[in-house]
Amino acid sequence: MTTVIGFWFGGLLGGSAPAADDAISPPVDFNRDVRPIFNQHCVACHGGVKQAGGLSFVYADSVLAVIDPGSSEDSYLMERVLLPADEEEHMPPSDHGRSLNAAEIDVLKRWIDGGGEWGKHWAFTQPQRAETRSLESDQWSRTRIDPFVLDKMKQQGLAPQADAEPEEWFRRASLDLTGLPPTPAQVDAFLAGVRRDGEDAYRVAADDLLASPAFGERWASVWLDVIRYADSRGLGLDGRRTIWQFRDWVIRAFNEDMPYDQFTVRQLAGDLLPDRTLDDLLATACHRTTQTNEEGGTDDETFRTEAVMDRVNTTWQAWQGVSFGCVQCHSHPYDPIEHKEYYQFLAFFNNTADSDLGNDLPTLAVPVDHEQFDEAFRLDEQADQLWLNEWQLAGELVKDDELWQPISDLELSTNNNTRVLAATVDGVAEYQTTGTVQTRTKVHINGKIDESIEQITALRFTGFPKNEQQALIDSEWGFIVSHLAAKLISQDGTETAIQFEQVISDEPDPLLQPNESLNPKSNHGFGPYSRIHHARTGAFLANPPVQVKPGDRLDVEIAFNDVELGAFPLIAHRGRIAVSQSSGFTEWLTDAERVAARERIAAVRHQRASIRSINTPILVERPQEFARPSRVFDRGNQTTKTDPVDPAIPAFLATPAVEPDASLTRLQMAQWLIGPENPLTARVAVNRFWAQLFGTGIVETQEDFGIAGAPPTHPRLLDDLAVRFRTEMGWSVKTLLRELVLSSTYRQSAEVDAERYEIDPANRWLSRGPRGRLPAETIRDQALFIAGLLSEKQFGPPVHPPLPDGVWKPFQGGDKWATVDPSNPDRYRRTIYTYTKRSIPYPMMASFDAPSREFCSMRRLPSNTPTQALMTLNDATFVEASQALAGRMIAADDDFDQQLRYGFRLATCRQPKQAESVAIRELYDSILQKHDGEEPNQRAAMTAVASVLLNLDEVLTK
């Protein structure tokens, strides 16, 4: 990595640094002149990872210890640099690389003599709105971005290309904004508008495209790459995950032009919003798209932690464009981010209730019909609030230790080889398992009841980790009380069963229903699912109360039937039983007002259940009293945890500084991301949208705005757009895209001559219109659209279009790819609705560079392979599209030449030139001559022509 960085920065210097003997030397700029020297020669030994001698050239405070600002002669840094190369203390060491040349030494001297001011990396400073000349000052510019681009062109000795033909711009804008080409009728209407209204026609066309329902489908696919959306869980078995409702949420968000700041906060912390909606809860599925390992025997906590780290890394990549994942194991090699800060930020995500289990809990019942979202959420909120009131009344009794008396003199046994023993801890009797525990263990407890107890109205079970202190560092597998039965045994052997009516958990809305503990056939019930850090308590309320006679003993049997990942029994390794005679429990169960409240809850939940819904995984925060503690992982190894940490924002971006604080929430973190003091969020977003339209971002490395990333080609333009996106545009994506597609920069013809190409082969200076191969989804969708096959149906479960034989071989036999019949329009849905399985990517997507969605992908790197041509010529979808397009051409007109012209225009949005018409006719005739001229062969020849049209370079590119 050092070599790469050194090469890039060496290129930046490019011999252009001022020589020591120049009569006039330009002022030294730290970021432009000094930092590249440090990165090339110093940070390998004195960086973020390795800090030899305690010195790092990543942090200003460290460097100030080896320079004397204002005096290079008195600076220790220069003393070491100026030593003869054969001296042992010469820097850099001879085995590291070459010594600094005269130009580099001169830069360092002039920097130190000028005060040694440390400069922040450009991306970590606040963007500023730039001053630019008015649009009237040149005849080329149409929008505010154009003067910036024109100035850069002129600096490179370039001039703008002429405007593209109107239909060329219209097709380009339509493909970019909606992922679909315009129809011939739409092209005709646009051209008529241009003749009639001039520039206004372009604005009307742009507005129509932005208002199209297809807009959200096109742009959602970009975000789903970033947020690594898939319909499967990844890793191991890679089983199906029902999360398509989130994909639909993203599509609706783009179509509704949800402001990007709201788009951000809702996905990262919608569950914590004070006025949250069901849509806000659904948005948090953004970070439930992490991978899950369902294989038997895997450690739930290991892969849960991996998922949390992925959320941290994805958040920084997606919203900040920073390679924050480097800091998991050590401080960042180049950017000023310390190792500890990674785990302080991780603490924002570490207290969500999800785990690494195949059931995807916690989930939200999301109505299939979006029109029912509000009603469903109203019922959910009503039921939850009613239950919270009831739970709090009972919970106060459960928590009041003065109402409880522990049983003692324990006699213990189990139903299998699991061994238990009695112990006294802090003066209270408890059972403890010893050795290996078996699955489906039942712990039998017989104990003495305190003499003060005259009746039993409730029984309280408290389960503990084996080692309470260690569990706060490394959690243990939790427990589930699958069933609890209790009875009194009198001195004469008479048994009196206790009937339990309700189980009150120590949290109001646990992942599993506590009352399942009353069902002897259930494996679920009360308990900390699936890990335990703290002691957990559940109360079993008796109805009717049971009278206790002197000498009675309590006999309890607790079944722990739940097993996770085939190998881990969820059993409480330490447990205590206490009983209460408080009449408060009986009153809670029998009071008419309380009974009526619970009946109301049941009625509301029954009404909610009548709304057809799909369970979708979401983020839910655990109760603060049971919060997971966070610690630093030594060198990124989660099995070696060191210092405890509280949530915090990394210091290099926190303005003003924010001290670590356990009370900081995920919502506050999300609000910081979109706050005016954050310099990266708007820059990164603008750059991503720019890259989609122009092929390359203003910062080419969309994933890395840090010191190791590429510098912006148009820094003033990027900052100006970032500021205006946040302020004037109100974070409106559609407003931003509208300005870009209406610009003279975007409207240019994509033609390029040899001279222009030699100066700017990659079009980084934007002296011609954007031209590049279409994204994978657009290539398929366009073919279906041109053929007249594309379904306009939106939303819903993923679909299964044709697959080549032999591709579908999942690890899970039950994961079927049921290809729909050609008569079913689901066969021809837009590609965004195709089932996305991480371990078996859809061949069309994989061939055209779409990521597997295992991790955040900020950009797709285009390739050019024979597989792509084979796909568009032979894939079942393209064969069917060719056949359907041939049918459209034949049905369009009785005149054969008009049929060919119609097909060409459907594919390219323009009329064919004479030579093109002749070539198409010759192709048709050559195929026809090979047969007898019968009607079926005429259709076959037209199908071949249609296939060629769909494979034209002009069609596969914009």
Side-chain angles (χ1 to χ4, degrees):
M1 188 170 187
T2 303
T3 303
V4 175
I5 300 303
F7 174 81
W8 180 79
F9 277 116
L12 183 63
L13 290 168
S16 63
D21 56 354
D22 280 352
I24 300 176
S25 299
V28 175
D29 179 275
F30 177 83
N31 285 310
R32 184 192 66 214
D33 304 322
V34 179
R35 195 191 299 275
I37 298 173
F38 289 161
N39 278 300
Q40 184 175 359
H41 297 284
C42 307
V43 297
C45 298
H46 305 282
V49 181
K50 184 179 179 182
Q51 300 184 14
L55 172 63
S56 171
F57 283 89
V58 173
Y59 303 98
D61 291 346
S62 181
V63 176
L64 287 174
V66 294
I67 69 169
D68 185 357
S71 176
S72 59
E73 293 183 359
D74 296 324
S75 293
Y76 182 64
L77 170 65
M78 297 308 302
E79 178 183 327
R80 298 291 295 273
V81 166
L82 294 174
L83 285 172
D86 57 355
E87 289 276 352
E88 183 178 351
E89 293 188 342
H90 171 77
M91 287 293 162
S94 58
D95 58 356
H96 171 72
R98 68 170 178 84
S99 299
L100 271 62
N101 59 35
E104 292 165 331
I105 291 172
D106 178 66
V107 167
L108 291 184
K109 282 183 176 179
R110 289 191 292 119
W111 172 63
I112 296 172
D113 290 338
E117 183 177 349
W118 189 270
K120 260 191 174 183
H121 178 57
W122 69 268
F124 305 152
T125 62
Q126 284 294 324
Q128 301 295 323
R129 182 183 170 97
E131 292 296 327
T132 186
R133 61 179 178 274
S134 67
L135 298 181
E136 290 76 18
S137 62
D138 68 75
Q139 296 181 346
W140 182 71
S141 298
R142 289 185 173 95
T143 70
R144 184 176 168 86
I145 74 168
D146 293 324
F148 295 99
V149 174
L150 184 60
D151 288 345
K152 282 289 184 178
M153 277 192 219
K154 291 178 178 179
Q155 292 172 20
Q156 303 301 319
L158 294 165
Q161 183 62 278
D163 283 355
E165 294 298 323
E167 58 266 44
E168 180 184 344
W169 173 88
F170 190 37
R171 177 177 182 270
R172 179 190 297 166
S174 182
L175 288 168
D176 275 337
L177 295 181
T178 70
L180 298 173
T183 65
Q186 289 172 324
V187 174
D188 288 340
F190 171 67
L191 294 177
V194 171
R195 291 190 294 270
R196 182 182 64 249
D197 304 320
E199 290 294 313
D200 285 344
Y202 287 86
R203 289 187 279 271
V204 170
D207 289 339
D208 288 344
L209 293 171
L210 291 167
S212 167
F215 173 84
E217 294 169 322
R218 183 270 186 268
W219 287 94
S221 67
V222 177
W223 185 248
L224 296 183
D225 275 1
V226 173
I227 217 65
R228 33 77 173 117
Y229 169 87
D231 297 301
S232 69
R233 296 186 175 99
L235 300 173
L237 299 177
D238 195 24
R240 289 195 175 227
R241 173 182 283 153
T242 305
I243 199 169
W244 55 265
Q245 291 269 31
F246 171 70
R247 174 248 289 153
D248 291 354
W249 181 89
V250 176
I251 294 171
R252 287 193 299 269
F254 276 105
N255 275 336
E256 295 165 4
D257 198 20
M258 180 183 294
Y260 189 75
D261 57 342
Q262 296 181 32
F263 184 73
T264 296
V265 171
R266 290 177 179 182
Q267 290 181 84
L268 294 176
D271 57 311
L272 302 179
L273 288 170
D275 55 349
R276 67 185 188 182
T277 65
L278 191 145
D279 263 310
D280 295 334
L281 293 174
L282 175 58
T284 66
C286 147
H287 270 327
R288 292 302 308 280
T289 58
T290 44
Q291 298 187 78
T292 297
N293 196 336
E294 306 164 79
E295 287 186 283
T298 57
D299 182 25
D300 162 56
E301 181 64 6
T302 295
F303 288 98
R304 184 201 71 83
T305 304
E306 292 290 339
V308 172
M309 289 181 170
D310 185 29
R311 289 166 192 167
V312 171
N313 300 343
T314 297
T315 297
W316 278 86
Q317 284 265 282
W319 279 280
Q320 302 294 274
V322 172
S323 52
F324 201 68
C326 294
V327 196
Q328 175 182 333
C329 300
H330 47 67
S331 294
H332 201 285
Y334 303 103
D335 298 328
I337 315 171
E338 297 184 9
H339 178 49
K340 183 177 183 179
E341 291 179 313
Y342 183 92
Y343 296 95
Q344 290 173 333
F345 197 85
L346 180 145
F348 285 115
F349 291 98
N350 199 35
N351 197 39
T352 56
D354 56 278
S355 55
D356 186 70
L357 301 175
N359 55 31
D360 281 331
L361 292 173
T363 59
L364 174 70
V366 182
V368 174
D369 183 357
H370 187 252
E371 296 295 322
Q372 294 183 294
F373 272 31
D374 289 343
E375 179 188 2
F377 187 69
R378 177 183 61 79
L379 294 172
D380 284 338
E381 290 287 278
Q382 184 179 356
D384 289 347
Q385 187 57 55
L386 287 170
W387 169 246
L388 181 61
N389 294 338
E390 296 303 304
W391 176 85
Q392 288 174 337
L393 291 173
E396 290 300 318
L397 300 174
V398 175
K399 294 177 182 179
D400 188 350
D401 288 336
E402 293 185 1
L403 300 180
W404 299 91
Q405 290 294 334
I407 63 173
S408 58
D409 187 25
L410 304 186
E411 297 174 2
L412 306 170
S413 63
T414 67
N415 64 323
N416 52 29
N417 292 326
T418 300
R419 297 177 57 198
V420 291
L421 53 82
T424 300
V425 179
D426 296 329
V428 180
E430 65 179 42
Y431 78 81
Q432 298 178 357
T433 65
T434 179
T436 303
V437 297
Q438 286 187 252
T439 60
R440 305 189 72 83
T441 292
K442 295 180 180 179
V443 177
H444 185 260
I445 307 167
N446 185 284
K448 177 182 177 182
I449 303 172
D450 189 86
E451 295 179 356
S452 64
I453 299 297
E454 298 178 354
Q455 65 172 356
I456 294 177
T457 57
L459 178 151
R460 188 173 74 176
F461 174 78
T462 304
F464 297 84
K466 285 183 182 179
N467 185 324
E468 292 182 74
Q469 293 302 315
Q470 187 60 33
L472 293 175
I473 302 173
D474 294 299
S475 64
E476 302 174 7
W477 279 98
F479 65 84
I480 294 297
V481 177
S482 306
H483 185 246
L484 184 146
K487 57 188 176 183
L488 290 179
I489 301 178
S490 64
Q491 290 179 323
D492 62 5
T494 302
E495 297 182 355
T496 304
I498 302 176
Q499 302 297 322
F500 296 113
E501 182 176 317
Q502 184 84 36
V503 182
I504 303 297
S505 173
D506 50 12
E507 56 179 312
D509 189 24
L511 293 178
L512 302 179
Q513 172 54 252
N515 278 348
E516 285 293 298
S517 294
L518 304 180
N519 180 1
K521 297 181 180 180
S522 175
N523 289 338
H524 293 161
F526 154 73
Y529 182 81
S530 63
R531 310 293 294 195
I532 184 170
H533 301 83
H534 313 266
R536 301 301 298 272
T537 299
F540 293 71
L541 311 191
N543 191 19
V546 177
Q547 301 302 311
V548 178
K549 300 185 296 294
D552 285 353
R553 292 179 68 86
L554 179 66
D555 193 86
V556 180
E557 184 178 77
I558 308 175
F560 299 101
N561 295 331
D562 204 355
V563 179
E564 283 300 339
L565 301 173
F568 303 103
L570 299 188
I571 180 173
H573 291 278
R574 294 173 53 205
R576 299 176 184 176
I577 299 291
V579 294
S580 176
Q581 61 181 348
S582 171
S583 60
F585 293 109
T586 304
E587 293 171 2
W588 188 88
L589 284 174
T590 60
D591 178 77
E593 185 177 350
R594 302 277 65 77
V595 172
R598 291 195 294 278
E599 289 176 348
R600 176 61 179 154
I601 294 170
V604 172
R605 286 180 173 162
H606 178 76
Q607 185 180 356
R608 172 64 169 91
S610 68
I611 299 176
R612 182 167 171 253
S613 302
I614 301 292
N615 287 331
T616 301
I618 61 169
L619 290 182
V620 173
E621 200 76 357
R622 290 158 55 99
Q624 193 58 39
E625 61 186 301
F626 302 125
R628 290 190 186 97
S630 296
R631 289 177 177 267
V632 174
F633 298 169
D634 184 28
R635 300 190 180 187
N637 184 354
Q638 61 177 281
T639 64
T640 310
K641 299 182 177 70
T642 59
D643 299 333
V645 291
D646 288 326
I649 303 298
F652 82 108
L653 281 185
T655 307
V658 178
E659 292 297 321
D661 188 340
S663 66
L664 290 175
T665 67
R666 195 164 20 95
L667 176 59
Q668 290 171 295
M669 178 274 293
Q671 291 168 336
W672 165 78
L673 278 177
I674 51 89
E677 69 279 2
N678 189 307
L680 284 168
T681 304
R683 275 191 182 118
V684 171
V686 164
N687 190 63
R688 181 186 303 121
F689 292 117
W690 180 282
Q692 289 297 316
L693 296 187
F694 292 99
T696 306
I698 297 174
V699 176
E700 182 180 8
T701 52
Q702 297 179 51
E703 68 283 354
D704 192 356
F705 274 54
I707 293 169
T713 53
H714 300 73
R716 292 174 65 248
L717 169 59
L718 177 63
D719 282 10
D720 190 74
L721 274 176
V723 172
R724 293 197 299 119
F725 181 52
R726 181 172 56 81
T727 56
E728 293 175 16
M729 300 181 190
W731 297 99
S732 167
V733 171
K734 288 188 176 182
T735 301
L736 171 66
L737 293 175
R738 184 180 190 273
E739 178 169 324
L740 298 185
V741 299
L742 291 176
S743 67
S744 293
T745 304
Y746 182 83
R747 197 185 295 189
Q748 295 175 97
S749 169
E751 292 183 5
V752 58
D753 53 40
E755 181 180 359
R756 193 184 300 263
Y757 185 82
E758 183 178 356
I759 297 174
D760 189 16
N763 199 26
R764 297 305 310 279
W765 306 115
L766 303 166
S767 62
R768 59 186 181 272
R771 185 172 186 270
R773 200 204 63 223
L774 296 172
E777 297 92 336
T778 304
I779 291 174
R780 178 178 177 273
D781 294 348
Q782 176 184 240
L784 294 174
F785 183 83
I786 293 170
L789 292 175
L790 188 67
S791 169
E792 294 183 356
K793 179 182 177 183
Q794 288 193 301
F795 311 127
V799 295
H800 304 82
L803 269 181
D805 292 339
V807 169
W808 194 253
K809 293 181 179 179
F811 291 109
Q812 280 189 334
D815 190 5
K816 304 295 184 183
W817 186 280
T819 302
V820 293
D821 188 84
S823 62
N824 189 331
D826 280 355
R827 188 181 180 96
Y828 306 117
R829 298 282 303 280
R830 290 197 69 169
T831 308
I832 193 172
Y833 299 112
T834 298
Y835 177 56
T836 303
K837 189 176 183 70
R838 285 171 162 133
S839 59
I840 311 178
Y842 187 58
M844 173 70 205
M845 299 291 286
S847 297
F848 285 94
D849 310 316
S852 64
R853 302 268 178 83
E854 292 172 283
F855 301 101
C856 168
S857 299
M858 292 289 284
R859 55 176 170 152
R860 298 181 183 181
L861 299 178
S863 65
N864 189 359
T865 67
T867 307
Q868 295 167 355
L870 292 172
M871 181 66 63
T872 55
L873 286 167
N874 302 303
D875 181 77
T877 296
F878 286 88
V879 171
E880 293 175 13
S882 298
Q883 293 168 343
L885 177 56
R888 290 191 76 182
M889 294 165 67
I890 293 170
D893 202 291
D894 293 335
D895 181 75
F896 176 72
D897 287 330
Q898 290 300 321
Q899 292 173 358
L900 295 182
R901 293 176 67 84
Y902 178 69
F904 187 91
R905 192 161 186 239
L906 279 173
T908 65
C909 299
R910 65 175 177 85
Q911 296 288 353
K913 300 174 183 177
Q914 179 63 30
E916 293 168 333
S917 295
V918 170
I920 296 172
R921 181 61 187 255
E922 289 177 352
L923 170 65
Y924 178 86
D925 290 342
S926 67
I927 296 172
L928 199 61
Q929 288 170 7
K930 297 178 182 179
H931 302 284
D932 298 329
E934 298 177 357
E935 179 63 27
N937 293 324
Q938 292 175 353
R939 180 171 287 272
M942 190 65 85
T943 299
V945 169
S947 178
V948 169
L949 291 177
L950 293 176
N951 279 273
L952 290 174
D953 179 70
E954 182 177 348
V955 174
L956 297 177
T957 61
K958 66 173 183 179

